[in-house]
Amino acid sequence: MTILVVAEHDAHGLKAATRNVVTAASQIGGLIDVLVAGDAAPAVQAAAAIPGVARVLHAGGAQFAKPTAENVSAQVLALAGANGYSHILAAATGFGKNAMPRVAAKLDVAQVSDITAVVSADTFVRPIYAGNAFATVRSIDPVKVVTVRPTAFDAAAESGGNAAVADVASVADTGKSRVVAQEMTVSERPELAGARIVVSGGRGLGSGENFRMLEALADKLHAALGASRAAVDAGYVPNDYQVGQTGKIVAPDLYIAVGISGAIQHLAGMKDSKVIVAINKDADAPIFQLADYGLVGDLFEIVPELTKAL
């Protein structure tokens, strides 16, 4: 049994979520290959250093400089046909959710999405109904195509492994899509998906300018900044701040929700946080049912006082 993990990376190296996927793959059992598509030497080196990885397969080429789901899925399919993988795994991020369904469709198998636990090589646990229930799913397909919720698995160690690196034949550019431009949010704060502390704001902030209060608080705590879908849809902050079922799934040690009522889609994205603190003027807000600590009051008074105290 051999498993292919599709790595996610950028110009600086391997994305942390890939190491969570390797942990899930190790729980399935068998040899683990990691695919790095693109000329990204730091990512290849980082993947080779992960304990438990047997091989790193490197597919270079200009078509992966700004990878599209069409090109990545075509590369995965080429390797799947040549190597006979029993499982193909990727993180349940925007990248994985875009590429993996294409792989499953071409292989004519049913994808198992967003797993939070491995029961056996063919049986997995995944959340349903916005995380309010969990389904145990058994796949009888010859190839299991799986996306993994990164927050549900510990990250594999960054060092200690010594996997072999092999260059593989790259597929040709499919020509079906291309990246025209990217607008990247540059921040010295931790990446939202992997941060130990997250400060999130909601519609209660009233405007994008008022998010500066949260920025000051986040800076004091060395925290990442998040937001509810309502705040993103209102244009207060960029889309990549969104926490929730249709945004990023986070599970930090501390989650501070400011001016967030607690819609079910938001709770689905942060309910696994170890400690949840809620600040809201509405004592009946649903967020208080989930919070470990709740403070009812005017956030425009509380947040500056909290920041000053810190």
Side-chain angles (χ1 to χ4, degrees):
M1 189 163 62
T2 308
I3 302 167
L4 178 65
V5 171
V6 183
E8 190 171 347
H9 65 86
D10 56 22
H12 306 292
L14 205 64
K15 290 289 186 71
T18 301
R19 295 191 289 115
N20 300 92
V21 180
V22 170
T23 297
S26 67
Q27 293 180 11
I28 294 171
L31 296 174
I32 301 173
D33 288 352
V34 175
L35 167 64
V36 178
D39 297 319
V44 172
Q45 294 168 3
I50 299 175
V53 174
R55 289 192 305 168
V56 176
L57 307 179
H58 175 227
Q63 68 272 34
F64 297 120
K66 292 182 178 179
T68 62
E70 290 85 354
N71 286 342
V72 171
S73 60
Q75 186 66 59
V76 172
L77 288 165
L79 292 173
N83 295 283
Y85 290 112
S86 60
H87 298 72
I88 302 173
L89 275 62
T93 58
F95 171 83
K97 290 177 181 179
N98 199 1
M100 296 298 277
R102 302 169 192 269
V103 174
K106 288 289 188 179
L107 292 175
D108 195 23
V109 300
Q111 177 175 304
V112 183
S113 302
D114 205 23
I115 68 165
T116 56
V118 174
V119 178
S120 67
D122 64 357
T123 307
F124 312 93
V125 177
R126 62 180 300 270
I128 57 176
Y129 303 126
N132 287 306
F134 290 86
T136 301
V137 181
R138 180 173 179 240
S139 170
I140 60 172
D141 288 320
V143 181
K144 280 70 172 173
V145 177
V146 180
T147 58
V148 177
R149 179 174 289 194
T151 57
F153 295 88
D154 294 333
E158 295 184 26
S159 60
N162 189 25
V165 177
D167 289 325
V168 297
S170 301
V171 297
D173 190 343
T174 62
K176 293 181 178 178
S177 67
R178 62 190 177 91
V179 178
V180 176
Q182 286 180 310
E183 293 183 8
M184 307 298 287
T185 301
V186 179
S187 174
E188 295 181 357
R189 298 188 186 92
E191 186 178 1
L192 178 57
R196 290 183 60 251
I197 303 174
V198 174
V199 177
S200 278
R203 195 199 308 269
L205 270 296
S207 71
E209 289 186 1
N210 290 333
F211 259 81
R212 292 175 185 171
M213 284 194 308
L214 298 195
E215 291 175 358
L217 177 58
D219 289 342
K220 288 283 188 181
L221 294 170
H222 305 290
L225 198 61
S228 68
R229 178 172 179 171
V232 171
D233 287 349
Y236 298 168
V237 288
N239 180 263
D240 55 355
Y241 281 36
Q242 184 177 328
V243 173
Q245 189 176 15
T246 55
K248 291 184 172 67
I249 307 294
V250 300
D253 293 338
L254 173 61
Y255 188 88
I256 302 177
V258 182
I260 296 175
S261 62
I264 189 170
Q265 84 90 25
H266 184 78
L267 300 183
M270 45 66 73
K271 65 192 302 182
D272 292 329
S273 304
K274 292 182 176 62
V275 177
I276 299 171
V277 175
I279 301 172
N280 200 297
K281 66 180 181 181
D282 180 6
D284 296 322
I287 189 72
F288 287 123
Q289 297 177 18
L290 188 66
D292 297 286
Y293 299 94
L295 186 55
V296 178
D298 186 348
L299 67 88
F300 295 103
E301 296 178 1
I302 292 170
V303 173
E305 288 183 13
L306 177 58
T307 305
K308 184 179 179 180
L310 289 166

